[in-house]
Structure formats: structure tokens, C-alpha cells
């Protein structure tokens, strides 16, 4: 053994002529990552490699299922709090070690099995060649964290795979599977899983023998980009147009900074180019967006850890059933089946069963069209969904998910009927979006086995599932339902019971703030545009059209009964008024907007001038609003209710609240969630904003928790 560390080891390969193996193999972790210890050991290894005679070549490997996951994000949080100068110096030190490794006087081949992401990808780029097996994947996802590659990634990638491919890889942060990585030149060969190491050794040997000009490959990575000025201008201008159309540079500044860095260092040699990269990285790391997105990553890790903890005492779910075969029931059945869980889909009408099966079939057909599955697999998945009009086989199911109409009396009747026909330890779950689980449980004989399992529409796309604990719900029921959500590929967040639970309880004051703006004369189109510029995927008018005005009015009534002090208006709002005109939104092509089906079969939004005329009937004023006032009023209502959910212990932590809003309703990720948003504005400044609009009603008045935090200097997150 030439070198043995805690995370790395280095030794000559047996029966080879001077080839060494550098292996990333963290003793104390399940994955390899570049933390402080690894960086220190890597520097030591490079020193050993520089001093060890008779080395002719090197193979870079990993003994983990994940090749190298990248940098240790938890350490990055501390680094980002340092000055820009400190960050630049730290990055230059790491880069110097990477460059020394690149400059070693022999060829190096990375043998990639598992994920080589971020810093892991950059580690492979300092090798002259990369070989990947079928389990491998590679990418530079740093812009998803509000930063960009800072260990030579923008420099080497742009020279190795071309400006256009490098810009796309960095700006999108996409992960490349083997054949896609091979296509753009990010890897040089894809081999059978069990041939990875031998293939890498063979490639090193061919380099040593002179069959491959590995030195020319190295020089290419270290030299200016091989494009003329006109070609460069065309490449960068074309890329900027496409990338900025998808990523607003004001919302995701790291993307703009990465493109700017690559353009600036295109004509420089490696060491000078890396200085440009480092300077831009440090600027990105100091942005609010980086703080929010890194925080979001850590929150996601926490939520997964909590879900794992919640599911410790779960019963195994082998067979499930869904009651109600509409769009929602069909979506739930599809999600279970596609993840390998057999499911019975029960309804009282054959037409509904056909609708549910068609929904599942349509989703699977799209997967076939995308090449993700073949028709045989589609048939196999569909065969695991069993449509039925009877309860005949319910005695064997482990969980029943109720997804019938959002009416408490109907739900209670269906739930009681199902409970009577299932085994004593079967879990009964309701997909209700607003109705109290404790209230629904009064119809059941085994309320301890009853839990809320709120999926979001469309089920196959929306990652969040709220697991709602009623007053009598047992820990085992919660654990089993959390485990099921994970098995179905979803992110479960456990919340306590109240009308609307967490997400809808927060969403309805947001709709209420929208209605109040309309009442005072605001233009719904301006409101939508202002909120979309803020970062929402769609404004509130468009959102309620997608949800359905009928659903919105019903939910608002439930919320008004539950929270009359702040969610029961003393006027008829625009949403209710349009619903009274039989405008349901996309369901009947007419809501706040008018909809036409485009060539792809999707509803296209169009402004309908008669909407303004109808809304004028419920407007008591007609004044102009600037965009900032619209944003402030909408966000104060939204954020205040989030804080009240924390006060009432509906949700246990700011991290879970923020993740729920991002995953459940599309809160702008680059803002990190409502609690992070309050932190970044400043708690005291946010309370002052609440006070400015307090005269509009309780929903705008700062919760006691916020006032206490403002007085004591507390924040939701440590900076």
C-alpha cells in the first residue's frame, strides 16, 4: 500500500507494469464526498504520486455504489458565510491540487460506476479519459444549489465537450446516463458493469503503449477553446438565448455568472481561466439565492431523514386498494402500480373505472413514447391495477386509500363501508384535501388505523404527500403510510390535523388576498404577472383555474368554517362570483381565463375580456396597484399562515413547512420557502410589513411568534 487514509487509498495494481489505483473509499460514510478530510488526503496523495518513482499510469476508482457525490454541502454552508476573498483563496488552493494531479507525468483514467456529480465529475475531468459502466451517471448540478462548478469544471468541460454542451450541462444541472454522456463526449467509453475496472486498466495500458495520445488530450483541456471569435460569439449568443428563456438570471444568478465566466476564460490557458471561474463562483456563493437553494437541499435531506425515522415501525404493504376511480384515483393507482405495488381500484360506476384505467394507461403511454419503458412493461404495469365494482377482495388488502368526492358525509359512509370489509390491522387512509381527519374518523370503529394521505394533483408529477395524524391515529398507522408514500416514490411530510392541514390551510389565505385585491379594483392579469415575476410557476388566477373554481369555492367554505376569524370574508369574492357564472376553470375551458386546446392537446390560456366585466360587479373600488404592493399583500397572507401552522404545531419545523410549500404548491425554490423568505427579508422588517397591512384583517396581522422573534432577534434558520 503506497498510501492509506480514512477516505482514500493508493496502491500498485497487481500484475500490472507500473499502474496504480487511486480509490475513493470513505470508511465512515455510505458515499464518497469531498469534505475537509478528503480534500486534505487528496492533497497528500498527490504529493505521494509526485514523489513515487516507476508509476506509468493511474486508474481512479470508487468502492461505493455512488462514485463521488460531490462536495460536502454541510461544510459549504460554513464556507459561504466567509468573505469573498476567503472563498476565492480556498477555491484556488483546492484547484491547485486538482491541477497538480492533472499535471502528473503519466496517463489517468477514471472508472465511473455510480454517480459522479459536481466535484465528483470535476475529479474525473482532471483525468485524460473516462470509462463508465451501465450503473454510472455524471453531471454538474451545482446551479441547482445557486452556485456553479468551482474546481475547474467550467474550464475543462467547455474545452472537452464543447461550449454548447458545457453550457447546457452547467446551466441545466442535468445528470447524464452512460449513452448520453458518451454522445456529448463527457465519457469516452461505456462498458459492461463487470468489465469496468479491467477496461480502465486496458485503456491506461494502451496510453502507455502509445496507442492513444493522452498528452494531446491533456493539452486540449489546458488550452484556450478551439473556436474563432465569430464562432465563439455565435455559440455564446445562441446558448444565452435558450438558457435565459428557461432560467431567469435575476432568479438564478449562478447560471448567468457561469456563462459569463466561460465566455471570459474561453481564450485563456487553464491556470488563468480557473482564476476567472473562482471569482465568479465566489460571487454566486454570496447571493441570497445560493443561501436559499443550499438551504433547500439541506431541508430535503432533513425531510428524508425524518420520513425514515417516522417509518421505523411500519407494517409491510403488499397490496393496496383505492376507492374512487376518477382522475385522482386513477393517478394514485398508476403511481402504486408503476412502483411495483399491486392495487385494486374500486368504484360504483363502470364509466368511472374506465376513466381511471384510461388515466393510468395514458400516463404509461407517455412513458413508452419517451422510451422510458416498452409496451410489454406497460402491459405488465396495467395488469397490476385491478378494476372492480365490488369489495370482494378487500379482505386481503393492507391499506385502503379513499379518493371519492370531497363531501364529508359521503366520505364517512364510504370509509365505514370499507372498514367493515377489511382485516383488523388494515390501514384506512383518506385523500381528502381539506376535511378534518379527526372529524372523518368519528364514523369508524378503528380510528387508530385511520390516517390522512393527501396526494396532490397531478399525482404522477407532484412529489409531496401530506400524512395527516388525527387525534386517535396510531404511530403504527402513520409509520406504515409514510413507508407507503416512500414506496410510491413520493416525499411524505407528517402533519397534525386541522381543516386544510398544512398546504391548503396556507394556500387559502393566499387566494383570499387575491380576492381582496380584486375587490379593491386590481387587474387579475397584472396580479398573475407580478406573482410570476416573483417566481411562482403561475399566478393565483391561473392557479385557481387549474385547480378548479368549484374545488376552490368548496375548500374556501371548509376553511371559513374552521378559521372564521381570518378566512370568512364579509363579501363575495371574485372566485365565488365567477363560479356562480358556471366558470369552472380548465374543467370547462372558462374561468378567469378562456382555454383552447392546442396542437399538443394541452389547454392554452387566453385572456377573456368578459372576465373583467364580470369582476367589475363585485369590485367596490377601482384603484391602481403597483407590483410590489401586490407581491407584499399576497406574500404576507401566505407567510403569516405558514407561521401560524408552526405556532399551532400543525407542522414540526420551518424546514418541513418550507419543503411542503415548494413541493406542494410550487413556492419559488430560489427563495427557499416562506420561512426562509421571512429570514431573508428580516423578521423585524417582515413584521413591519405586516403592520402596514394589518388594517385589512387578521390574515395580515403578524402572528405572536413572529413578534417574539423580532423582539429577541431570532430567525428560522441560522445564517
Amino acid at each position: 500500500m503506497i498510501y492509506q487514509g480514512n477516505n482514500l487509498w493508493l496502491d500498485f495494481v497487481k500484475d500490472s507494469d507500473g499502474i496504480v489505483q487511486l480509490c475513493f473509499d470513505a470508511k465512515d460514510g455510505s458515499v464518497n464526498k469531498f469534505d475537509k478530510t478528503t480534500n486534505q488526503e487528496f492533497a497528500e496523495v498527490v504529493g505521494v504520486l509526485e514523489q513515487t518513482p516507476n508509476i506509468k499510469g493511474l486508474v481512479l476508482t470508487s468502492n461505493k455504489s455512488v462514485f463521488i457525490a460531490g462536495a460536502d454541502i454541510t461544510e459549504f454552508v460554513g464556507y459561504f458565510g466567509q468573505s469573498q476573498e476567503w472563498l476565492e483563496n480556498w477555491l484556488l488552493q483546492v484547484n491547485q491540487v486538482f491541477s497538480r494531479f492533472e499535471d502528473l507525468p503519466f496517463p489517468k483514467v477514471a472508472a465511473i460506476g455510480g454517480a459522479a456529480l459536481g466535484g465528483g465529475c470535476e475529479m474525473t475531468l482532471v483525468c485524460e479519459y473516462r470509462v463508465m459502466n451501465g450503473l454510472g451517471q455524471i453531471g454538474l448540478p451545482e446551479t441547482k444549489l445557486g452556485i456553479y462548478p468551482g474546481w475547474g469544471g467550467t474550464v475543462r468541460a467547455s474545452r472537452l465537450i464543447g461550449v454548447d454542451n458545457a453550457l447546457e450541462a452547467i446551466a441545466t444541472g442535468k445528470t447524464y446516463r452512460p449513452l448520453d454522456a458518451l454522445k456529448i463526449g463527457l465519457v469516452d467509453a461505456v462498458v459492461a458493469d463487470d468489465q469496468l475496472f479491467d477496461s480502465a486498466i486496458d485503456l491506461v495500458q494502451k496510453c502507455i503503449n502509445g496507442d492513444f495520445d493522452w498528452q494531446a488530450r491533456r493539452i486540449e483541456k489546458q488550452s484556450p477553446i478551439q473556436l474563432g471569435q465569430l464562432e465563439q460569439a455565435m455559440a455564446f449568443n445562441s446558448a444565452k438565448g435558450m438558457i435565459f428563456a428557461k432560467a431567469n438570471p435575476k432568479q438564478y444568478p449562478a447560471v448567468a455568472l457561469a456563462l459569463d465566466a466561460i465566455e471570459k476564460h474561453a481564450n485563456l490557458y487553464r491556470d488563468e481561466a480557473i482564476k476567472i471561474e473562482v471569482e465568479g463562483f465566489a460571487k454566486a456563493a454570496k447571493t441570497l439565492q445560493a443561501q436559499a437553494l443550499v438551504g433547500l437541499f439541506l431541508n430535503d435531506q432533513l425531510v428524508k431523514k425524518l420520513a425514515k425515522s417516522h417509518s421505523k415501525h411500519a407494517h409491510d404493504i403488499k397490496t393496496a386498494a383505492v376507492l374512487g376511480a376518477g382522475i385522482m384515483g386513477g393517478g394514485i393507482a398508476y403511481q402504486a402500480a408503476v412502483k411495483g405495488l399491486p392495487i385494486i381500484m374500486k368504484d360504483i360506476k363502470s364509466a368511472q373505472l374506465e376513466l381511471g384505467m384510461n388515466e393510468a394507461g395514458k400516463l404509461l403511454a407517455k412513458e413508452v413514447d419517451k422510451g422510458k419503458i416498452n409496451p410489454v412493461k406497460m402491459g405488465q404495469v396495467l395488469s397490476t391495477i385491478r378494476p372492480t365494482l365490488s369489495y370482494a377482495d378487500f379482505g386481503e388488502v393492507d391499506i385502503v386509500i379513499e379518493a371519492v368526492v370531497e363531501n364529508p358525509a359521503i366520505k364517512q359512509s364510504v370509509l365505514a363501508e370499507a372498514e367493515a370489509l377489511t382485516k383488523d390491522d388494515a390501514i384506512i387512509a383518506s385523500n381528502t384535501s381539506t376535511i378534518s381527519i379527526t372529524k372523518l374518523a368519528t364514523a369508524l370503529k378503528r380510528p387508530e388505523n385511520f390516517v390522512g394521505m393527501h396526494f396532490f394533483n397531478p399525482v404522477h408529477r407532484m412529489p409531496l404527500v401530506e400524512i395527516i395524524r388525527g387525534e386517535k391515529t396510531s404511530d403504527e398507522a402513520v409509520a406504515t403510510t409514510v413507508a407507503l408514500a416512500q414506496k410510491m416514490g413520493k416525499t411524505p411530510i407528517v402533519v397534525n390535523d386541522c381543516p386544510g392541514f398544512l398546504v391548503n390551510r396556507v394556500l387559502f389565505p393566499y387566494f383570499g388576498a387575491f380576492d381582496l385585491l380584486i375587490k379593491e379594483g386590481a387587474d387579475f392579469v397584472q396580479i398573475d404577472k407580478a406573482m410570476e415575476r416573483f417566481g411562482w410557476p403561475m399566478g393565483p388566477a391561473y392557479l385557481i383555474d387549474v385547480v378548479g373554481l368549484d374545488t376552490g369555492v368548496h375548500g374556501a367554505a371548509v376553511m371559513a368554517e374552521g378559521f372564521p376569524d381570518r378566512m370568512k370574508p364579509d363579501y363575495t369574492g371574485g372566485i365565488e362570483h365567477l363560479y356562480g357564472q358556471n366558470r369552472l376553470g380548465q374543467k370547462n375551458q372558462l374561468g378567469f381565463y378562456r382555454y383552447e386546446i392546442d396542437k399538443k392537446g394541452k389547454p392554452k390560456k387566453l385572456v377573456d375580456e368578459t372576465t373583467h366585466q364580470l369582476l367589475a360587479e363585485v369590485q367596490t373600488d377601482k384603484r391602481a396597484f403597483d407590483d410590489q404592493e401586490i407581491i407584499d399583500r399576497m406574500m404576507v397572507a401566505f407567510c403569516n399562515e405558514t407561521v401560524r401552522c408552526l405556532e399551532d404545531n400543525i407542522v414540526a419545523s420551518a424546514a418541513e413547512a418550507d419543503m411542503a410549500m415548494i413541493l406542494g404548491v410550487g413556492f419559488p425554490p430560489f427563495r427557499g420557502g416562506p420561512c426562509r423568505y421571512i429570514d431573508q427579508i428580516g423578521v423585524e422588517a417582515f413584521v413591519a410589513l405586516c403592520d402596514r397591512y394589518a388594517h385589512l384583517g387578521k390574515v395580515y396581522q403578524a402572528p405572536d411568534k413572529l413578534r417574539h422573534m423580532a423582539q429577541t432577534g431570532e430567525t428560522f434558520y441560522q445564517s
Side-chain angles (χ1 to χ4, degrees):
M1 188 71 68
I2 305 172
Y3 177 91
Q4 177 69 67
N6 202 55
N7 296 337
L8 302 173
W9 57 260
L10 177 71
D11 203 2
F12 280 99
V13 177
K14 187 179 179 181
D15 298 327
S16 72
D17 182 17
I19 299 175
V20 294
Q21 178 181 4
L22 171 57
C23 184
F24 279 72
D25 188 12
K27 290 180 180 177
D28 301 325
S30 58
V31 297
N32 295 313
K33 55 188 175 183
F34 274 106
D35 53 17
K36 190 174 181 179
T37 300
T38 304
N39 278 324
Q40 182 179 334
E41 289 186 5
F42 182 50
E44 292 170 1
V45 164
V46 172
V48 170
L49 287 166
E50 290 170 333
Q51 299 300 319
T52 303
N54 304 320
I55 296 178
K56 296 180 180 180
L58 178 146
V59 174
L60 175 68
T61 67
S62 165
N63 263 354
K64 302 292 184 184
S65 58
V66 173
F67 184 78
I68 304 174
D72 187 335
I73 301 302
T74 55
E75 286 186 1
F76 263 41
V77 174
Y79 296 162
F80 289 3
Q82 302 288 342
S83 68
Q84 185 167 328
E85 182 182 8
W86 186 96
L87 268 172
E88 289 182 21
N89 288 333
W90 171 69
L91 287 164
L92 287 172
Q93 288 171 16
V94 175
N95 270 291
Q96 284 169 5
V97 178
F98 271 58
S99 294
R100 283 168 54 204
F101 182 79
E102 184 173 50
D103 293 341
L104 290 166
F106 45 78
K108 301 172 293 298
V109 174
I112 307 167
L117 303 175
C121 175
E122 290 177 291
M123 180 72 236
T124 72
L125 293 177
V126 296
C127 297
E128 281 68 50
Y129 296 97
R130 282 149 298 286
V131 178
M132 180 183 281
N133 67 11
L135 302 174
Q137 49 185 301
I138 191 168
L140 296 163
E142 287 92 339
T143 52
K144 293 180 179 180
L145 297 176
I147 50 178
Y148 69 75
W151 292 345
T154 71
V155 177
R156 295 184 178 94
S158 57
R159 286 142 177 83
L160 185 71
I161 64 175
V163 168
D164 51 351
N165 287 327
L167 290 175
E168 181 182 0
I170 291 166
T172 62
K174 68 190 288 186
T175 298
Y176 293 85
R177 294 289 179 178
L179 293 180
D180 293 327
L182 181 65
K183 185 178 179 181
I184 65 169
L186 202 49
V187 299
D188 301 287
V190 175
V191 300
D193 295 352
D194 60 352
Q195 295 296 310
L196 181 61
F197 184 75
D198 289 343
S199 298
I201 291 289
D202 181 62
L203 182 51
V204 172
Q205 191 61 58
K206 286 178 177 176
C207 289
I208 295 169
N209 295 343
D211 298 335
F212 290 92
D213 192 349
W214 60 272
Q215 290 171 315
R217 172 62 72 91
R218 177 185 296 181
I219 291 170
E220 180 185 16
K221 290 188 295 170
Q222 297 174 339
S223 302
I225 289 170
Q226 299 301 304
L227 288 176
Q229 291 300 315
L230 180 59
E231 292 170 301
Q232 283 186 34
M234 291 174 64
F236 283 111
N237 289 335
S238 174
K240 285 176 183 176
M242 288 188 293
I243 290 167
F244 289 153
K246 296 179 181 178
N248 185 327
K250 291 183 179 178
Q251 297 174 352
Y252 294 91
V255 174
L257 287 166
L259 298 188
D260 184 57
I262 294 173
E263 191 167 17
K264 283 180 177 177
H265 66 52
N267 299 303
L268 300 175
Y269 285 90
R270 181 194 66 191
D271 293 349
E272 292 304 310
I274 283 174
K275 291 177 184 177
I276 300 293
E277 176 182 282
V278 161
E279 182 182 355
F281 180 101
K283 287 179 182 176
K286 298 300 290 182
T287 62
L288 291 175
Q289 290 86 347
Q291 183 187 69
L293 289 166
V294 170
L296 187 59
F297 175 84
L298 296 175
N299 286 351
D300 182 54
Q301 299 300 302
L302 175 63
V303 164
K304 288 174 180 173
K305 185 177 179 181
L306 289 170
K308 189 175 180 181
S309 175
H310 279 303
S311 61
K312 274 183 181 177
H313 304 293
H315 301 309
D316 190 26
I317 299 288
K318 295 178 181 176
T319 307
V322 61
L323 293 173
I327 297 296
M328 204 71 188
I332 293 169
Y334 161 83
Q335 192 64 33
V338 84
K339 294 299 181 180
L341 178 67
I343 188 164
I344 298 168
M345 183 166 60
K346 196 263 180 198
D347 205 284
I348 58 173
K349 296 180 180 177
S350 297
Q352 285 297 104
L353 289 175
E354 187 176 342
L355 176 65
M357 290 303 294
N358 285 343
E359 176 70 8
K362 183 171 65 177
L363 294 172
L364 285 164
K366 288 181 180 178
E367 295 296 288
V368 173
D369 291 342
K370 293 174 184 176
K372 292 186 176 180
I373 61 172
N374 58 37
V376 174
K377 177 66 175 176
M378 175 179 171
Q380 289 172 343
V381 172
L382 278 176
S383 70
T384 62
I385 304 174
R386 195 144 45 100
T388 181
L389 295 170
S390 77
Y391 283 106
D393 296 320
F394 270 56
E396 300 302 317
V397 299
D398 300 301
I399 187 166
V400 177
I401 304 168
E402 168 273 309
V404 303
V405 63
E406 192 76 352
N407 178 300
I410 294 174
K411 282 186 181 291
Q412 285 184 317
S413 173
V414 169
L415 289 166
E417 191 175 40
E419 183 191 45
L421 297 166
T422 55
K423 54 189 179 182
D424 288 350
D425 62 348
I427 304 297
I428 308 292
S430 175
N431 181 52
T432 177
S433 57
T434 55
I435 304 167
S436 164
I437 294 301
T438 301
K439 178 179 179 180
L440 291 175
T442 58
L444 300 177
K445 294 178 180 177
R446 300 189 294 273
E448 67 277 7
N449 288 351
F450 182 57
V451 65
M453 192 179 190
H454 178 211
F455 291 86
F456 291 78
N457 198 25
V459 175
H460 67 287
R461 283 189 191 163
M462 300 298 284
L464 179 68
V465 174
E466 285 182 302
I467 309 298
I468 305 103
R469 184 194 296 272
E471 284 182 10
K472 295 184 178 180
T473 304
S474 68
D475 290 342
E476 290 77 14
V478 169
T480 303
T481 314
V482 166
L484 174 62
Q486 291 174 302
K487 191 172 186 176
M488 293 175 73
K490 298 301 180 183
T491 300
I493 292 180
V494 178
V495 299
N496 286 320
D497 187 32
C498 70
F501 320 127
L502 173 59
V503 173
N504 280 331
R505 175 172 160 178
V506 172
L507 187 58
F508 275 94
Y510 178 80
F511 282 139
F514 168 69
D515 259 343
L516 186 57
L517 283 165
I518 295 292
K519 175 179 179 289
E520 294 178 8
D523 175 7
F524 73 92
V525 176
Q526 182 195 359
I527 297 172
D528 270 9
K529 288 180 177 177
M531 298 316 295
E532 286 163 10
R533 277 192 290 271
F534 179 79
W536 286 92
M538 58 183 73
Y542 189 15
L543 177 59
I544 196 67
D545 275 0
V546 172
V547 170
L549 277 73
D550 53 340
T551 301
V553 169
H554 171 79
V558 174
M559 304 308 292
E561 182 182 352
F563 307 101
D565 61 333
R566 58 186 184 279
M567 297 193 206
K568 188 174 184 179
D570 58 0
Y571 61 89
T572 299
I575 297 172
E576 184 178 357
H577 184 63
L578 292 184
Y579 171 63
Q581 305 298 313
N582 195 35
R583 289 180 171 232
L584 306 181
Q586 288 187 355
K587 292 177 182 178
N588 67 351
Q589 286 79 54
L590 200 59
F592 280 88
Y593 297 94
R594 180 167 53 86
Y595 296 89
E596 292 179 358
I597 304 301
D598 65 15
K599 293 178 181 178
K600 295 181 179 179
K602 295 181 179 180
K604 181 182 177 182
K605 178 183 70 172
L606 300 167
V607 175
D608 180 33
E609 289 304 323
T610 59
T611 305
H612 293 286
Q613 298 168 17
L614 288 170
L615 291 177
E617 297 170 9
V618 293
Q619 289 177 328
T620 57
D621 199 357
K622 191 66 180 174
R623 74 177 183 86
F625 290 83
D626 63 42
D627 284 0
Q628 192 58 52
E629 182 178 353
I630 289 170
I631 290 167
D632 288 345
R633 285 174 56 164
M634 295 292 292
M635 295 316 302
V636 163
F638 189 96
C639 294
N640 277 351
E641 199 61 35
T642 305
V643 175
R644 288 191 176 96
C645 286
L646 285 165
E647 277 185 330
D648 296 345
N649 197 33
I650 300 303
V651 62
S653 67
E656 291 165 279
D658 280 351
M659 285 301 297
M661 298 311 153
I662 286 166
L663 299 177
V665 289
F667 191 96
F670 66 91
R671 298 189 186 276
C675 296
R676 177 78 66 182
Y677 176 65
I678 293 171
D679 272 1
Q680 292 193 335
I681 287 177
V683 178
E684 193 173 351
F686 188 83
V687 168
L689 196 60
C690 295
D691 290 342
R692 185 187 306 172
Y693 296 112
H695 64 283
L696 296 174
K698 187 171 181 180
V699 77
Y700 301 92
Q701 295 165 13
D704 292 341
K705 180 178 178 68
L706 274 185
R707 291 199 180 279
H708 175 76
M709 289 173 66
Q711 290 166 3
T712 59
E714 291 178 59
T715 56
F716 290 105
Y717 298 96
Q718 293 181 348
S719 58

